[in-house]
Amino acid sequence: MRVKVLSRNPDDYVRETKLDLQRVPRNYDPALHPFEVAREYVRALNATKLERVFAKPFLSSLDGHRDGVNCMAKHPKSLSTVLSGACDGEVKIWNLTKRQCIRTIQAHEGFVRGMCARFCGTSFFTVGDDKTVKQWKMESPEYGEEEEPIHTILGKTVYTGIDHHWKEPVFATCGHQVDIWDEQRTSPKCSLTWGFDSISSVKFNPIETYLLGSCASDRNIVLYDMRKSTPLKKVILNMRTNTLCWNPMEAFIFTAANEDYNLYTFDMRFLESPVMVHMDHVSAVLDVDYSPTGKEFVSASFDKSIRIFPVDKGHSREVYHTKRMQHVITVKWTSDNKYILCGSDEMNIRLWKANASEKLGVLAPREKAAMNYNQKLKEKFQFHPQIRRIAQHRHLPKSIYCQIKEQRIMREARRRKELNRRKHSKPGSVPLVPERKKHIVAVVK
C-alpha cells in the first residue's frame, strides 16, 4: 500500500515566539499580486457602496389623469408608447421619450376595467363598466374627424378584463364568464365557464398562444385551451387571486398575485404546489408583470410600494416607493427591459428604472468595461457578510417597516405553536406541511 502525504516544513510558517510577525507565504510569480483577493474584496465593497449611493430609480411622473389609474397596456411595436385607462372612463396615450400625453379619449362611462393592444399595434381594445367592448385606432383622427371607436360590442354583463391573442385576430374578455371573440363578429365564438363566480382577469400565453389563464373571485385560477370548448384544470388557493402573468420565456410558468400578500409562481403541469412563494409585501398584491427576459417580475401592491422579484427567489431584490404614491393598482415592465411603469390611486403614472443604479445614456467603452468588472466582483463576494448587508439594505416607509415587524412576530408565533403541538402529540399525528403546500386548497382536473 502506498500513502501520499503533504509534507510542510514548520519553519516556513510557524512563528518562533508569539511576538514575531505572522509569516505570510509568498508567491514569487511576478504576474500575481501578493494580496489579490484582499484587493478585489476592497474593490467589491466600494462598488457595492457606490451602487447604493447612485441608486436613484425614480425618473418622472406622468400626470394628466383626473381619477385613479386603473389599467395600462404596452404598445407591441413602439417602445415609447404606453396606454392608460382611468376610473373616470378616460384613456390616455403617452409618449415616454417626451414624457407627455399625445391623445386623450373619453372611452367609457364609469371605470375602464381593462385594455390591451392588438398584436400588430394598429388598434387597441378597452372594456368598461358600461358593459361595452370598444376597438380604437392607435393613430390620432384626421383634422375635423370625430373621435369614434372602430367597433363597439354591447354585452349583457360588465366586463372586468380583456386580453388579445398574440398572433391572430382573436381576443378574450372576462366577467361573468370567459368569452373568446373574433374581431369580425359581434357575438363570442366560444364561452368558457367553470363555477358561477365573477372572473377578474384573463391572460393569453405568449408562447403557447392557444392557452389562457383566468382568476376568479371564488379563489380559483382556471386554465383553458382555446381549441377545446371546456376548461383544462383549476387550482384553488386559500385566498383570492387578483391577476396572473405568464412567463414570456417559459411556456408553462405563470405567476399569480394573491390577496394574502404573497405571489405564487406555478408550473401549469404540476399545480399541486407552487414552484416558488414570493413573500415580502405587507398588503394585497394587485398586479404583476414579467420582464421580457423572463428572469424577473414586478409586483404592485395595496401597501403603496412596488417590488422586483427574481423568479427563483422568495424575497424581492428591490422595493420602490415615494411619499406621494398611494395604493398601486397596475404595473408594467417595458419591452426593452430598462423601465417600469406603475399607475396608482392618486392619478399619477410613475416611470422607474428597472435597475436602480444603472447609468442612462450612451456609455464609453471604458465605462462599460468598468461596470462589467464591478458586477463580476459583486457576484464573487456577494455572500460576504459586510457586502451582503450593504447590498440588501433598503429604507422603507414607517408603515411598511412596522407591518413587516408585526408579521414576523406573528409568523414566529405560528411556527412555535406548530412545533409545540407536534412535540406534545402522538408521533405522526401532526404532519409537517411545507410552506409551498400550505396555501393550496385543492387541484381540480
Side-chain angles (χ1 to χ4, degrees):
M1 188 176 75
R2 183 180 295 172
V3 179
K4 288 187 178 182
V5 294
L6 286 174
S7 171
R8 291 201 184 106
N9 184 0
D11 296 342
D12 294 340
Y13 57 89
V14 176
R15 296 179 293 175
E16 289 182 5
T17 70
K18 63 181 181 182
L19 300 175
D20 286 356
L21 292 173
Q22 192 80 42
R23 292 188 179 183
V24 180
R26 290 285 307 275
N27 187 329
Y28 292 101
D29 184 354
L32 296 175
H33 193 278
F35 303 114
E36 188 176 2
V37 176
R39 190 171 59 164
E40 282 188 347
Y41 169 72
V42 170
R43 284 177 183 170
L45 188 65
N46 289 340
T48 309
K49 286 178 180 175
L50 285 172
E51 183 188 45
R52 298 315 312 148
V53 167
F54 293 124
K56 293 180 172 58
F58 180 70
L59 292 174
S60 75
S61 168
L62 310 174
D63 49 345
H65 277 293
R66 292 170 297 180
D67 208 334
V69 182
N70 198 48
C71 55
M72 285 196 296
K74 293 182 281 191
H75 193 292
K77 304 283 183 186
S78 166
L79 286 173
S80 60
T81 308
V82 70
L83 305 100
S84 63
C87 298
D88 58 355
E90 199 174 60
V91 169
K92 283 184 180 285
I93 301 176
W94 303 87
N95 186 324
L96 294 181
T97 45
K98 295 178 182 173
R99 296 181 191 174
Q100 63 187 31
C101 175
I102 52 176
R103 188 169 157 215
T104 304
I105 307 165
Q106 187 58 45
H108 295 276
E109 292 171 18
F111 282 46
V112 180
R113 288 289 174 188
M115 62 196 311
C116 66
R118 199 171 186 270
F119 62 91
C120 60
T122 54
S123 60
F124 64 94
F125 295 80
T126 60
V127 292
D129 276 357
D130 51 5
K131 302 182 185 177
T132 57
V133 181
K134 293 184 182 180
Q135 183 181 4
W136 306 83
K137 276 185 185 172
M138 196 66 80
E139 297 297 319
S140 300
E142 299 293 325
Y143 181 72
E145 199 181 330
E146 286 288 314
E147 184 77 84
E148 290 288 324
I150 305 169
H151 299 299
T152 302
I153 299 168
L154 187 59
K156 292 175 184 169
T157 56
V158 174
Y159 296 112
T160 53
I162 186 169
D163 196 34
H164 202 284
H165 195 281
W166 290 77
K167 290 174 183 171
E168 294 170 21
V170 172
F171 64 91
T173 59
C174 63
H176 178 60
Q177 61 193 13
V178 172
D179 293 324
I180 311 291
W181 304 76
D182 194 304
E183 285 181 14
Q184 307 303 321
R185 294 170 60 180
T186 55
S187 59
K189 66 176 191 177
C190 164
S191 291
L192 303 161
T193 182
W194 194 353
F196 301 97
D197 231 311
S198 60
I199 296 160
S200 58
S201 141
V202 63
K203 291 285 167 69
F204 273 101
N205 191 318
I207 303 168
E208 303 291 346
T209 50
Y210 46 81
L211 291 175
L212 298 100
S214 74
C215 308
S217 52
D218 55 357
R219 304 175 299 158
N220 290 348
I221 300 171
V222 189
L223 302 175
Y224 309 93
D225 191 330
M226 210 170 68
R227 300 167 299 181
K228 297 166 77 175
S229 56
T230 53
L232 291 175
K233 48 185 171 180
K234 68 176 175 181
V235 56
I236 306 166
L237 301 177
N238 277 331
M239 291 183 78
R240 192 181 72 174
T241 302
N242 289 314
T243 186
L244 61 86
C245 187
W246 294 92
N247 190 320
M249 287 294 166
E250 294 179 79
F252 301 108
I253 304 292
F254 66 90
T255 296
N258 204 277
E259 286 277 324
D260 64 358
Y261 314 170
N262 297 340
L263 294 113
Y264 301 98
T265 297
F266 284 96
D267 186 326
M268 65 171 281
R269 298 164 297 179
F270 314 106
L271 290 176
E272 287 73 22
S273 73
V275 179
M276 185 61 69
V277 180
H278 310 274
M279 22 193 345
D280 260 342
H281 282 294
V282 292
S283 195
V285 189
L286 302 179
D287 199 11
V288 59
D289 192 39
Y290 264 93
S291 74
T293 59
K295 292 184 176 177
E296 292 181 319
F297 61 83
V298 60
S299 62
S301 172
F302 201 75
D303 63 13
K304 308 178 188 176
S305 71
I306 61 175
R307 286 181 183 268
I308 301 171
F309 290 87
V311 175
D312 55 349
K313 299 277 196 312
H315 293 284
S316 62
R317 74 159 171 87
E318 203 64 76
V319 54
Y320 294 161
H321 54 86
T322 66
K323 279 187 179 176
R324 289 186 181 183
M325 189 156 79
Q326 295 302 306
H327 312 307
V328 191
I329 299 168
T330 177
V331 72
K332 284 280 177 271
W333 198 310
T334 58
S335 303
D336 61 349
N337 200 28
K338 278 187 177 292
Y339 306 103
I340 287 166
L341 289 148
C342 69
S344 49
D345 254 357
E346 83 311 330
M347 307 177 281
N348 272 0
I349 296 167
R350 288 182 172 80
L351 183 65
W352 309 82
K353 286 191 277 190
N355 191 357
S357 58
E358 185 181 19
K359 188 183 175 188
L360 299 179
V362 181
L363 294 177
R366 281 183 66 185
E367 275 182 307
K368 267 188 192 171
M371 275 172 54
N372 292 338
Y373 177 59
N374 285 342
Q375 187 59 38
K376 286 294 174 192
L377 284 178
K378 283 183 284 191
E379 284 172 21
K380 184 177 176 180
F381 292 96
Q382 62 183 330
F383 298 112
H384 194 281
Q386 191 77 354
I387 287 176
R388 191 167 64 175
R389 185 185 64 79
I390 294 166
Q392 288 184 349
H393 179 72
R394 296 289 179 278
H395 283 291
L396 291 168
K398 193 174 179 184
S399 58
I400 294 179
Y401 181 77
C402 292
Q403 279 175 289
I404 286 174
K405 223 157 82 173
E406 193 178 317
Q407 282 182 12
R408 193 182 297 133
I409 293 166
M410 287 159 68
R411 223 172 13 246
E412 278 298 310
R414 279 198 296 269
R415 195 179 68 84
R416 207 162 46 242
K417 182 178 180 180
E418 195 180 323
L419 283 171
N420 286 339
R421 282 180 63 198
R422 192 172 293 112
K423 199 193 319 183
H424 298 291
S425 300
K426 190 176 163 187
S429 61
V430 182
L432 190 66
V433 183
E435 183 66 40
R436 292 180 188 182
K437 293 199 176 180
K438 279 180 187 173
H439 311 279
I440 308 293
V441 176
V443 177
V444 187
K445 293 181 183 177

